[in-house]
Amino acid sequence: MDKRHRAQLFRHRLKDALRRGGSNQSDLARQTGVDRSTISQLLRDDAARLPNAHVVGACATALGVSADWLLGLAEHPESAADLMASALTLTDAPRALVDEQIFDWHREAEGYKIRHVPAALPDMLKTHDMLQWEYGPHLGRTASQAITASAKRLSWMRQSASDYEVAMPLHEIQSLVQGTGYYEGLSRQTRLDQVDHWLDLSEALYPRMRLYLFDARRLYSAPITVFGPLLAVIYVGRNYLAFRDVQRVRAFSDHFDHLVREAQISARSFPDHIGALRRTIADASP
């Protein structure tokens, strides 16, 4: 960009920043310590020269924009620090079925593909008894109330305009079926009902919901959710680490696509795999 075009862009952006901030030339002159005549000259349609660095910096500070944006060196008026602050946020992750933050993110991304690697099994695919067993020790007497309150949100997520892809490690499903590890103590009937529920949902919701199983001995993934091109969220326990910058969201999308490509069990073969595992429960001694 030559100097004349850059001066023209500077003038347009300075006018735009003044307008959006509800300010005028006198206000800007007072805030920057620059003569009003100098400000007026900067805004003239025939102005062909850029001001010095001190004036540019003073104008940017006064108007709450970045000097790089005024000069046409950046596409966003926010400063680099402000952009970073909005691109990366840390929010609370309460021990709940569908907390308000997660539900808001799902609604924001409705219509986009949502890719999900759950921390365990996805809540939106669990039976009532499974949720009661898992959340009861934490929520106590309010567990049933919390499950009932979340039922509408879970139903909305299943029926929204978004496509869902869910990738889980093979051993998570096998542990549930066998009642081992995290699922030790889960009754045989609850496990059978959960598998039957998966079979029903995998048939009713396919292809809008696709489930993949990967071998955790070959691949690893932290619990993540990618909300279309808008947002990528890592679950770290007590908090969600949320990214909104395009580069990182794309990187997490690529990571998820790699899990899908390398999956041992594809979405098409998921029902057959689950059906075979169900027979091992049915054949086992009560």
Side-chain angles (χ1 to χ4, degrees):
M1 184 182 298
D2 63 33
K3 291 182 179 179
R4 183 175 296 275
H5 288 155
R6 195 175 298 280
Q8 183 182 36
L9 181 59
F10 173 84
R11 184 170 66 253
H12 288 327
R13 289 188 170 181
L14 186 61
K15 289 180 178 179
D16 184 51
L18 280 168
R19 178 183 55 79
R20 289 192 293 176
S23 189
N24 57 42
Q25 295 183 34
S26 297
D27 294 333
L28 185 58
R30 185 174 58 257
Q31 292 172 334
T32 59
V34 176
D35 289 341
R36 189 181 185 285
S37 60
T38 301
I39 300 297
S40 179
Q41 186 176 14
L42 292 176
L43 294 168
R44 282 172 46 188
D45 289 340
D46 60 350
R49 297 181 60 184
L50 288 167
N52 62 42
H54 170 75
V55 173
V56 174
C59 288
T61 300
L63 296 170
V65 298
S66 72
D68 282 350
W69 179 75
L70 284 177
L71 292 170
L73 301 175
E75 292 302 316
H76 300 280
E78 300 89 351
S79 67
D82 289 339
L83 284 172
M84 181 58 72
S86 63
L88 174 62
T89 57
L90 189 69
T91 63
D92 290 339
R95 178 69 169 156
L97 294 178
V98 186
D99 62 74
E100 192 65 41
Q101 180 62 83
I102 282 288
F103 193 51
D104 285 345
W105 284 332
H106 276 271
R107 288 185 294 189
E108 179 186 351
E110 186 175 14
Y112 289 111
K113 180 187 290 185
I114 295 176
R115 301 171 170 96
H116 183 43
V117 181
L121 301 174
D123 285 339
M124 63 190 301
L125 301 181
K126 292 173 183 173
T127 64
H128 183 281
D129 288 344
M130 181 72 187
L131 291 169
Q132 182 73 45
W133 175 85
E134 187 167 12
Y135 287 94
H138 171 72
L139 298 175
R141 289 186 298 176
T142 65
S144 293
Q145 295 174 343
I147 292 169
T148 301
S150 294
K152 290 184 179 179
R153 292 182 178 183
L154 292 169
S155 177
W156 182 91
M157 289 162 61
R158 285 196 292 261
Q159 298 173 20
S160 74
S162 296
D163 282 352
Y164 282 86
E165 288 187 330
V166 180
M168 296 177 284
L170 276 162
H171 71 260
E172 193 73 37
I173 300 290
Q174 292 168 344
S175 292
L176 179 280
V177 169
Q178 296 166 2
T180 59
Y182 179 82
Y183 304 99
E184 185 175 358
L186 185 60
S187 74
R188 176 174 177 272
Q189 188 59 53
T190 300
R191 288 182 281 130
L192 275 171
D193 291 343
Q194 179 60 67
V195 172
D196 287 340
H197 188 57
W198 278 336
L199 287 169
D200 291 341
L201 289 179
S202 62
E203 179 179 350
L205 299 179
Y206 183 86
R208 196 173 58 79
M209 177 177 287
R210 299 179 294 281
L211 294 94
Y212 302 86
L213 302 179
F214 61 88
D215 186 351
R217 291 175 297 180
R218 297 179 55 247
L219 303 169
Y220 171 76
S221 179
I224 62 170
T225 306
V226 183
F227 295 90
L230 307 176
L231 172 72
V233 177
I234 300 178
Y235 176 64
V236 294
R238 294 183 61 185
N239 302 98
Y240 301 117
L241 191 59
F243 301 87
R244 287 191 178 273
D245 57 298
V246 173
Q247 184 176 1
R248 287 183 175 84
V249 173
R250 185 178 298 123
F252 286 117
S253 294
D254 291 343
H255 164 72
F256 189 93
D257 288 344
H258 179 68
L259 294 178
V260 169
R261 286 194 300 271
E262 298 295 321
Q264 293 283 100
I265 305 298
S266 69
R268 286 184 177 276
S269 56
F270 181 82
D272 290 339
H273 179 73
I274 291 297
L277 290 176
R278 187 198 187 284
R279 288 191 290 274
T280 67
I281 307 176
D283 293 341
S285 300

